[in-house]
Every structure is written in C-alpha cells, then in structure tokens.
Amino acid sequence: MRLQFPENLDGQFLMGSPAEEISDRLLAQGAKPKNVSGLSFLAFDPLKIVAVRDANGQEIGALLGTPIDRHQGLIDDEYTIDAPLTPDVDAFVETYIYSLTGSFIFVLATGEAQRVYLDACGSLSLVYDPVRRCVASTSTLLLHGDELEARFDSALYDHLRVERDGWFTAGLTAHSGIKRLLPNFYLDLSDFTTARHWPMRPIEPASDPIDACRVLLDTTRITTRHLVAGASASVALTAGNETRMILAACKDFARNLCFVTVDADTTSSDIDIVHSSSIAKKFHLNHELIQIAMADEAAADEWRSRSGYCFGGPHIYTHPTVAALKSRRFFVGGLGGEIGRAFLWRPGDTPSTKLDAEGITARLGMPISDKVVDAVRDWLDNTQGFDALTTLDLAYLELRMGCWGFASAYGDYSPIDIHPLISRSSFTAMMSLPADWRIMHERTNKMIVETVRLGWPEILEFPINRYGDHRDRFSRLRRVVAQPHLAIKRLRKRFG
C-alpha cells in the first residue's frame, strides 16, 4: 500500500508547537493559526474552536467541534459556564463540561491544570505524540517527510487485517510513537501522561429502570431538536435499535425532519428499506433513499490518509455515499446506543467473572498480538474497583467505540456526524439498568423497547431488526454465506 499525506484536511487540527516542516506543510494546505486561552492551534475549516470562560470571566480553555448545551443549543461562539472554576477541577469538568452533548473536545487551560478531555464516547477523536508534545486529529498531521512511511507499523497493520475490516485498539495507532486518547481518560499536557477521570466509582443501579429510560429519551430528544433546527440535518432511519430510539425521541417534531436510508443492495439494507419505508408511509414522514456510491482507488487512498490509516473495511470505498447529504450541515446517526446492549457480555457472565487481557482482546474480535494484548493489559490496570460486567461495558465504550467507532471521524467531514445517544447522562442511565434489561433477545432488548414505548409506542408495530415473517428464517443464513469471516469473528467474540 502506498502511503500519502492527505490533500483535504477539512475539520482537522493540530495543537502545540510542531516541527517547522509540519507547520509549513499545514499552513500551505490552508490551516489557520488560532490562539485560544494560551493554546496554539492550526485548524482547518469548518472546525469550530471557541473560548470557554467561567462565571468570573476567567478564560479556562477551549471547546472544539460541535458541543451542544441543552438550554442554549449549538455552541458556535464563546461559551460561558455559570459557575466559577473550583479547586476540584475533576468535579468541575464532570459537572459543567459533561453536561454537554454533541461531538467535542475540551482543553482545560488554567494555571493549575492543562488537560485534554474527549466527549463521552470520543466521537471527535485525537492522537498525540508525547515526544514532540503535540496533539492532533490524526497521526498524518504529526508527521513529515519520510516519517509517514518510516513510522508506519506495517506488520501490525497487516496482522490486524485493517484493510479488510480491522482497527487499532487501546490507544494504539498505525504509526509507532503516536497514541490515541481513549474516552474517559484525560491527557495531561504537562507531561503527556493519561489518567482515568470517569467513572471513579461503581455506577449506582437504577432505583427505577423506567426513570433511567426517561433520561435516555429526554437527552436524545433535546440534542436532536437542537441539531435539526432550521432543517439543517438528515436523520438516519433503519430497521435497527438505535435509530428506532431516536425516532421515538423525535415524535413531537418528526414530520418536520428529513429521514434517510441507504440502499446498499445487500441483505441488511433490504430490511432497512422495508421497515423505514413502511414507517415513513404510515406516519407521514419525509423519507428518502440514497444509493450507495463507490470510491475509486485515488479517493480510497485519500480517505485512508485522512483517517490516519487506523480504520479499514467497506467504508474505505463506500464513503462517497454521504455526498448526497452535503446540502445539510449534520447527519444524525445512532452510534452510542450499543453501550446499553451488553455488547461484550457472554452467556454465563456474572459480576465476578474473571477477565484478562487475552480474553478481552478475543471478545473484541481482534487477532491476538503481543502489542495489542499488552496495550489492553495496561488499560485493564485502570479498571480496578469495577466488577466484570462494568469492566466489559467500559471495554466496549473505550476500546471499541473510542477506537473502531471514531478513528475514522475525519475521513468524511461534510456533513458533520452527530450521534445524540452519546452523552454522559445517557451512558450512566444505560449502565445503571439491570442486566436483564440489557441482554439481547431476538435482536433487541428491554431497554430499547421500553425507551421506544415511552416516546412513541405505535412504532413498535414494526419489528426491530426482524421482518416479522418467514424472511427471518433465511436472512441470517444469507449474511453468513455472503461474509463468512464476519460469522467466524462473531463466534470468537462470543466464545473465545
């Protein structure tokens, strides 16, 4: 594979003082220098970087991306927190930054602390070079000259089968010496070490599971309402769990939205088309099918480069499909809801199940590698005090979603992807639910069904992830025949 620097860096950034060669290259490609709260950025439009102040008017840092305040909506300009900064920085950030939704990075910059925090799922991902002491959207912004090839770990890239459908986990990237920041860990800019900041104690079980579902529904509704204001968003609609929850949250304003479904001419897209079209017809929703579009080799190479060579699979070639949605600012998707679906749990798992790095790597469906297992072991050391089920939830959130889910966040930047199920309050609600609410039965679970029932019970008439007739007998078999390696991966995740 031929490695190359990206031609298009829309929405990307670099923070710190890079080597002169890196700075010159980025400026020549259109980067705009910006200084916020004493922080130096090279940023590419349309990425927003806004100053954050506390109630005393003190500048305490910067927000990058698309943060959303539940009362004020989209934060496009300077953001003021209605409380003074307190000596307990961790509690302050948890209270006032993690009340935000959307997709963002927060950089705290005060005399006492300089730290980088991701949103609740790391949906606007970042990598860092602890030697150069620079932070960037992807590793390709941190490299110059022959470093792109020289620091590329081709052996690990091939071993993990990144080209087919692989990815890097536990802070690893495709380039040696460059690390990915994981969700729920902050990067300390004084020494470029990381530390867990959430959760710091076991999550309290929900006293009433329905109340937890109400939190999930309410947060999703508020976030989505802000995103679609002014008809500036397309909303995904499939046969699946998460888009059904988002639809339920949108009941009061659903007829003002534009729902979209991808026609990929596959077994899985067929059921999406059947249910989305039927739902749209019955409830008089604006709905459009968009055809899959394929990249040529040059466009595929550019996409790999914009993603830092950290993510593979069909999206390398299908990413031009989103071009049909560029007339709108945002695409509203359903990532994040998987946290409530006990994704890495196996039959027979209990809070006291013994976990180790090799076992977690297997549950992630990754080929065993010393580098991966060592990185997962380091991560596991930061989960002391949590039971096995919570640890597995954190593994999915941090090692899977924060890496596989969003390593490609900068591959496409128009429209901007926002996932309203991602928020601290929603994840806490999901993880507080009893185990029997989260375990999957017939491709859905009680959390999904009850949340939809609270918001829009009539749409449960349409089965989730099933046709509801004889076609269900054959759809899974057709998928296995078409992609047998995925079936093998699923078995490995489930049974080791």
Side-chain angles (χ1 to χ4, degrees), residues 271-294:
I271 191 173
D272 289 337
I273 292 168
V274 167
H275 280 331
S276 63
S277 299
S278 299
I279 291 170
K281 182 177 180 181
K282 175 157 188 174
F283 297 104
H284 308 290
L285 306 178
N286 298 317
H287 179 237
E288 57 184 273
L289 297 178
I290 59 174
Q291 296 298 313
I292 200 79
M294 302 299 290

PDB file of all heavy atoms in Angstrom, residues 271-294:
ATOM      1  N   ILE A 271     -33.776  -5.061   4.676  1.00  0.00           N
ATOM      2  CA  ILE A 271     -34.679  -4.948   5.811  1.00  0.00           C
ATOM      3  C   ILE A 271     -34.790  -3.490   6.266  1.00  0.00           C
ATOM      4  O   ILE A 271     -35.851  -3.039   6.684  1.00  0.00           O
ATOM      5  CB  ILE A 271     -34.238  -5.886   6.964  1.00  0.00           C
ATOM      6  CG1 ILE A 271     -35.348  -5.956   8.026  1.00  0.00           C
ATOM      7  CG2 ILE A 271     -32.926  -5.438   7.585  1.00  0.00           C
ATOM      8  CD1 ILE A 271     -35.057  -6.996   9.097  1.00  0.00           C
ATOM      9  N   ASP A 272     -33.694  -2.737   6.150  1.00  0.00           N
ATOM     10  CA  ASP A 272     -33.753  -1.306   6.476  1.00  0.00           C
ATOM     11  C   ASP A 272     -34.736  -0.580   5.560  1.00  0.00           C
ATOM     12  O   ASP A 272     -35.534   0.247   6.011  1.00  0.00           O
ATOM     13  CB  ASP A 272     -32.365  -0.672   6.333  1.00  0.00           C
ATOM     14  CG  ASP A 272     -31.399  -1.104   7.418  1.00  0.00           C
ATOM     15  OD1 ASP A 272     -31.860  -1.526   8.492  1.00  0.00           O
ATOM     16  OD2 ASP A 272     -30.183  -1.019   7.179  1.00  0.00           O
ATOM     17  N   ILE A 273     -34.681  -0.885   4.277  1.00  0.00           N
ATOM     18  CA  ILE A 273     -35.559  -0.225   3.310  1.00  0.00           C
ATOM     19  C   ILE A 273     -37.015  -0.613   3.567  1.00  0.00           C
ATOM     20  O   ILE A 273     -37.913   0.238   3.554  1.00  0.00           O
ATOM     21  CB  ILE A 273     -35.129  -0.583   1.873  1.00  0.00           C
ATOM     22  CG1 ILE A 273     -33.774   0.038   1.568  1.00  0.00           C
ATOM     23  CG2 ILE A 273     -36.167  -0.092   0.861  1.00  0.00           C
ATOM     24  CD1 ILE A 273     -33.137  -0.488   0.303  1.00  0.00           C
ATOM     25  N   VAL A 274     -37.260  -1.906   3.811  1.00  0.00           N
ATOM     26  CA  VAL A 274     -38.631  -2.374   4.054  1.00  0.00           C
ATOM     27  C   VAL A 274     -39.247  -1.644   5.240  1.00  0.00           C
ATOM     28  O   VAL A 274     -40.354  -1.090   5.153  1.00  0.00           O
ATOM     29  CB  VAL A 274     -38.646  -3.904   4.281  1.00  0.00           C
ATOM     30  CG1 VAL A 274     -39.997  -4.348   4.837  1.00  0.00           C
ATOM     31  CG2 VAL A 274     -38.323  -4.629   2.991  1.00  0.00           C
ATOM     32  N   HIS A 275     -38.545  -1.617   6.380  1.00  0.00           N
ATOM     33  CA  HIS A 275     -39.136  -1.026   7.580  1.00  0.00           C
ATOM     34  C   HIS A 275     -39.153   0.495   7.538  1.00  0.00           C
ATOM     35  O   HIS A 275     -40.138   1.128   7.930  1.00  0.00           O
ATOM     36  CB  HIS A 275     -38.400  -1.516   8.825  1.00  0.00           C
ATOM     37  CG  HIS A 275     -38.831  -2.879   9.267  1.00  0.00           C
ATOM     38  ND1 HIS A 275     -40.088  -3.382   9.056  1.00  0.00           N
ATOM     39  CD2 HIS A 275     -38.152  -3.868   9.912  1.00  0.00           C
ATOM     40  CE1 HIS A 275     -40.187  -4.603   9.553  1.00  0.00           C
ATOM     41  NE2 HIS A 275     -39.007  -4.929  10.075  1.00  0.00           N
ATOM     42  N   SER A 276     -38.059   1.118   7.076  1.00  0.00           N
ATOM     43  CA  SER A 276     -38.049   2.587   7.057  1.00  0.00           C
ATOM     44  C   SER A 276     -39.125   3.121   6.122  1.00  0.00           C
ATOM     45  O   SER A 276     -39.808   4.099   6.445  1.00  0.00           O
ATOM     46  CB  SER A 276     -36.669   3.107   6.642  1.00  0.00           C
ATOM     47  OG  SER A 276     -36.338   2.702   5.326  1.00  0.00           O
ATOM     48  N   SER A 277     -39.297   2.484   4.974  1.00  0.00           N
ATOM     49  CA  SER A 277     -40.320   2.936   4.028  1.00  0.00           C
ATOM     50  C   SER A 277     -41.718   2.746   4.599  1.00  0.00           C
ATOM     51  O   SER A 277     -42.587   3.622   4.444  1.00  0.00           O
ATOM     52  CB  SER A 277     -40.189   2.171   2.705  1.00  0.00           C
ATOM     53  OG  SER A 277     -38.934   2.391   2.114  1.00  0.00           O
ATOM     54  N   SER A 278     -41.942   1.629   5.286  1.00  0.00           N
ATOM     55  CA  SER A 278     -43.258   1.367   5.864  1.00  0.00           C
ATOM     56  C   SER A 278     -43.569   2.332   6.997  1.00  0.00           C
ATOM     57  O   SER A 278     -44.696   2.845   7.108  1.00  0.00           O
ATOM     58  CB  SER A 278     -43.333  -0.077   6.366  1.00  0.00           C
ATOM     59  OG  SER A 278     -43.139  -0.997   5.312  1.00  0.00           O
ATOM     60  N   ILE A 279     -42.569   2.589   7.850  1.00  0.00           N
ATOM     61  CA  ILE A 279     -42.761   3.542   8.952  1.00  0.00           C
ATOM     62  C   ILE A 279     -43.050   4.937   8.404  1.00  0.00           C
ATOM     63  O   ILE A 279     -43.964   5.631   8.859  1.00  0.00           O
ATOM     64  CB  ILE A 279     -41.526   3.550   9.872  1.00  0.00           C
ATOM     65  CG1 ILE A 279     -41.417   2.238  10.646  1.00  0.00           C
ATOM     66  CG2 ILE A 279     -41.575   4.736  10.848  1.00  0.00           C
ATOM     67  CD1 ILE A 279     -40.104   2.062  11.393  1.00  0.00           C
ATOM     68  N   ALA A 280     -42.247   5.348   7.417  1.00  0.00           N
ATOM     69  CA  ALA A 280     -42.431   6.684   6.842  1.00  0.00           C
ATOM     70  C   ALA A 280     -43.817   6.832   6.213  1.00  0.00           C
ATOM     71  O   ALA A 280     -44.478   7.876   6.361  1.00  0.00           O
ATOM     72  CB  ALA A 280     -41.352   6.947   5.795  1.00  0.00           C
ATOM     73  N   LYS A 281     -44.279   5.795   5.524  1.00  0.00           N
ATOM     74  CA  LYS A 281     -45.591   5.860   4.881  1.00  0.00           C
ATOM     75  C   LYS A 281     -46.708   5.949   5.908  1.00  0.00           C
ATOM     76  O   LYS A 281     -47.620   6.776   5.787  1.00  0.00           O
ATOM     77  CB  LYS A 281     -45.788   4.635   3.997  1.00  0.00           C
ATOM     78  CG  LYS A 281     -47.120   4.629   3.250  1.00  0.00           C
ATOM     79  CD  LYS A 281     -47.217   3.412   2.334  1.00  0.00           C
ATOM     80  CE  LYS A 281     -48.558   3.409   1.588  1.00  0.00           C
ATOM     81  NZ  LYS A 281     -48.662   2.212   0.705  1.00  0.00           N
ATOM     82  N   LYS A 282     -46.637   5.127   6.950  1.00  0.00           N
ATOM     83  CA  LYS A 282     -47.717   5.099   7.933  1.00  0.00           C
ATOM     84  C   LYS A 282     -47.790   6.393   8.735  1.00  0.00           C
ATOM     85  O   LYS A 282     -48.890   6.885   9.041  1.00  0.00           O
ATOM     86  CB  LYS A 282     -47.542   3.917   8.881  1.00  0.00           C
ATOM     87  CG  LYS A 282     -48.588   3.928  10.005  1.00  0.00           C
ATOM     88  CD  LYS A 282     -48.824   2.581  10.613  1.00  0.00           C
ATOM     89  CE  LYS A 282     -50.013   2.662  11.581  1.00  0.00           C
ATOM     90  NZ  LYS A 282     -50.381   1.345  12.100  1.00  0.00           N
ATOM     91  N   PHE A 283     -46.625   6.975   9.066  1.00  0.00           N
ATOM     92  CA  PHE A 283     -46.621   8.147   9.941  1.00  0.00           C
ATOM     93  C   PHE A 283     -46.330   9.443   9.187  1.00  0.00           C
ATOM     94  O   PHE A 283     -46.060  10.476   9.805  1.00  0.00           O
ATOM     95  CB  PHE A 283     -45.629   7.923  11.084  1.00  0.00           C
ATOM     96  CG  PHE A 283     -46.000   6.766  11.959  1.00  0.00           C
ATOM     97  CD1 PHE A 283     -45.321   5.554  11.857  1.00  0.00           C
ATOM     98  CD2 PHE A 283     -47.040   6.875  12.859  1.00  0.00           C
ATOM     99  CE1 PHE A 283     -45.664   4.474  12.645  1.00  0.00           C
ATOM    100  CE2 PHE A 283     -47.393   5.787  13.670  1.00  0.00           C
ATOM    101  CZ  PHE A 283     -46.715   4.583  13.561  1.00  0.00           C
ATOM    102  N   HIS A 284     -46.404   9.387   7.863  1.00  0.00           N
ATOM    103  CA  HIS A 284     -46.300  10.584   7.008  1.00  0.00           C
ATOM    104  C   HIS A 284     -45.001  11.353   7.250  1.00  0.00           C
ATOM    105  O   HIS A 284     -44.994  12.565   7.477  1.00  0.00           O
ATOM    106  CB  HIS A 284     -47.517  11.504   7.235  1.00  0.00           C
ATOM    107  CG  HIS A 284     -48.827  10.795   7.114  1.00  0.00           C
ATOM    108  ND1 HIS A 284     -49.317  10.334   5.915  1.00  0.00           N
ATOM    109  CD2 HIS A 284     -49.739  10.429   8.068  1.00  0.00           C
ATOM    110  CE1 HIS A 284     -50.494   9.738   6.117  1.00  0.00           C
ATOM    111  NE2 HIS A 284     -50.767   9.771   7.416  1.00  0.00           N
ATOM    112  N   LEU A 285     -43.888  10.618   7.214  1.00  0.00           N
ATOM    113  CA  LEU A 285     -42.574  11.222   7.423  1.00  0.00           C
ATOM    114  C   LEU A 285     -41.909  11.510   6.079  1.00  0.00           C
ATOM    115  O   LEU A 285     -42.110  10.780   5.103  1.00  0.00           O
ATOM    116  CB  LEU A 285     -41.673  10.260   8.219  1.00  0.00           C
ATOM    117  CG  LEU A 285     -42.213   9.747   9.551  1.00  0.00           C
ATOM    118  CD1 LEU A 285     -41.206   8.776  10.169  1.00  0.00           C
ATOM    119  CD2 LEU A 285     -42.529  10.894  10.502  1.00  0.00           C
ATOM    120  N   ASN A 286     -41.099  12.566   6.043  1.00  0.00           N
ATOM    121  CA  ASN A 286     -40.264  12.832   4.877  1.00  0.00           C
ATOM    122  C   ASN A 286     -39.131  11.820   4.872  1.00  0.00           C
ATOM    123  O   ASN A 286     -38.370  11.722   5.835  1.00  0.00           O
ATOM    124  CB  ASN A 286     -39.687  14.251   4.936  1.00  0.00           C
ATOM    125  CG  ASN A 286     -40.756  15.305   4.912  1.00  0.00           C
ATOM    126  OD1 ASN A 286     -41.715  15.195   4.144  1.00  0.00           O
ATOM    127  ND2 ASN A 286     -40.629  16.330   5.743  1.00  0.00           N
ATOM    128  N   HIS A 287     -39.023  11.067   3.800  1.00  0.00           N
ATOM    129  CA  HIS A 287     -38.068   9.962   3.773  1.00  0.00           C
ATOM    130  C   HIS A 287     -37.488   9.824   2.382  1.00  0.00           C
ATOM    131  O   HIS A 287     -38.206   9.911   1.383  1.00  0.00           O
ATOM    132  CB  HIS A 287     -38.775   8.663   4.171  1.00  0.00           C
ATOM    133  CG  HIS A 287     -37.889   7.460   4.155  1.00  0.00           C
ATOM    134  ND1 HIS A 287     -38.144   6.336   3.401  1.00  0.00           N
ATOM    135  CD2 HIS A 287     -36.726   7.202   4.818  1.00  0.00           C
ATOM    136  CE1 HIS A 287     -37.192   5.438   3.601  1.00  0.00           C
ATOM    137  NE2 HIS A 287     -36.327   5.935   4.456  1.00  0.00           N
ATOM    138  N   GLU A 288     -36.163   9.653   2.325  1.00  0.00           N
ATOM    139  CA  GLU A 288     -35.531   9.436   1.030  1.00  0.00           C
ATOM    140  C   GLU A 288     -34.521   8.300   1.102  1.00  0.00           C
ATOM    141  O   GLU A 288     -33.861   8.102   2.137  1.00  0.00           O
ATOM    142  CB  GLU A 288     -34.859  10.707   0.517  1.00  0.00           C
ATOM    143  CG  GLU A 288     -33.817  11.313   1.424  1.00  0.00           C
ATOM    144  CD  GLU A 288     -33.273  12.629   0.886  1.00  0.00           C
ATOM    145  OE1 GLU A 288     -32.309  12.579   0.094  1.00  0.00           O
ATOM    146  OE2 GLU A 288     -33.801  13.683   1.267  1.00  0.00           O
ATOM    147  N   LEU A 289     -34.456   7.538   0.038  1.00  0.00           N
ATOM    148  CA  LEU A 289     -33.438   6.508  -0.102  1.00  0.00           C
ATOM    149  C   LEU A 289     -32.258   7.090  -0.851  1.00  0.00           C
ATOM    150  O   LEU A 289     -32.443   7.789  -1.852  1.00  0.00           O
ATOM    151  CB  LEU A 289     -33.988   5.312  -0.883  1.00  0.00           C
ATOM    152  CG  LEU A 289     -35.145   4.547  -0.249  1.00  0.00           C
ATOM    153  CD1 LEU A 289     -35.598   3.431  -1.188  1.00  0.00           C
ATOM    154  CD2 LEU A 289     -34.745   3.962   1.102  1.00  0.00           C
ATOM    155  N   ILE A 290     -31.046   6.826  -0.348  1.00  0.00           N
ATOM    156  CA  ILE A 290     -29.859   7.279  -1.080  1.00  0.00           C
ATOM    157  C   ILE A 290     -29.085   6.054  -1.550  1.00  0.00           C
ATOM    158  O   ILE A 290     -28.939   5.081  -0.816  1.00  0.00           O
ATOM    159  CB  ILE A 290     -28.979   8.223  -0.238  1.00  0.00           C
ATOM    160  CG1 ILE A 290     -28.499   7.566   1.053  1.00  0.00           C
ATOM    161  CG2 ILE A 290     -29.725   9.505   0.082  1.00  0.00           C
ATOM    162  CD1 ILE A 290     -27.513   8.402   1.831  1.00  0.00           C
ATOM    163  N   GLN A 291     -28.626   6.109  -2.764  1.00  0.00           N
ATOM    164  CA  GLN A 291     -27.933   4.972  -3.371  1.00  0.00           C
ATOM    165  C   GLN A 291     -26.477   4.931  -2.913  1.00  0.00           C
ATOM    166  O   GLN A 291     -25.843   5.963  -2.716  1.00  0.00           O
ATOM    167  CB  GLN A 291     -27.995   5.079  -4.895  1.00  0.00           C
ATOM    168  CG  GLN A 291     -29.403   4.995  -5.457  1.00  0.00           C
ATOM    169  CD  GLN A 291     -30.066   3.667  -5.157  1.00  0.00           C
ATOM    170  OE1 GLN A 291     -29.457   2.607  -5.349  1.00  0.00           O
ATOM    171  NE2 GLN A 291     -31.299   3.705  -4.669  1.00  0.00           N
ATOM    172  N   ILE A 292     -25.986   3.732  -2.743  1.00  0.00           N
ATOM    173  CA  ILE A 292     -24.587   3.565  -2.382  1.00  0.00           C
ATOM    174  C   ILE A 292     -23.715   4.104  -3.516  1.00  0.00           C
ATOM    175  O   ILE A 292     -24.034   3.933  -4.693  1.00  0.00           O
ATOM    176  CB  ILE A 292     -24.282   2.072  -2.129  1.00  0.00           C
ATOM    177  CG1 ILE A 292     -23.009   1.896  -1.299  1.00  0.00           C
ATOM    178  CG2 ILE A 292     -24.223   1.280  -3.403  1.00  0.00           C
ATOM    179  CD1 ILE A 292     -23.191   2.134   0.153  1.00  0.00           C
ATOM    180  N   ALA A 293     -22.644   4.805  -3.154  1.00  0.00           N
ATOM    181  CA  ALA A 293     -21.692   5.333  -4.140  1.00  0.00           C
ATOM    182  C   ALA A 293     -20.303   4.818  -3.781  1.00  0.00           C
ATOM    183  O   ALA A 293     -19.949   4.743  -2.600  1.00  0.00           O
ATOM    184  CB  ALA A 293     -21.714   6.858  -4.138  1.00  0.00           C
ATOM    185  N   MET A 294     -19.534   4.469  -4.778  1.00  0.00           N
ATOM    186  CA  MET A 294     -18.246   3.830  -4.554  1.00  0.00           C
ATOM    187  C   MET A 294     -17.081   4.747  -4.930  1.00  0.00           C
ATOM    188  O   MET A 294     -17.143   5.470  -5.932  1.00  0.00           O
ATOM    189  CB  MET A 294     -18.144   2.542  -5.364  1.00  0.00           C
ATOM    190  CG  MET A 294     -19.249   1.529  -5.064  1.00  0.00           C
ATOM    191  SD  MET A 294     -19.268   0.976  -3.332  1.00  0.00           S
ATOM    192  CE  MET A 294     -17.762  -0.001  -3.291  1.00  0.00           C
TER     193      MET A 294
END
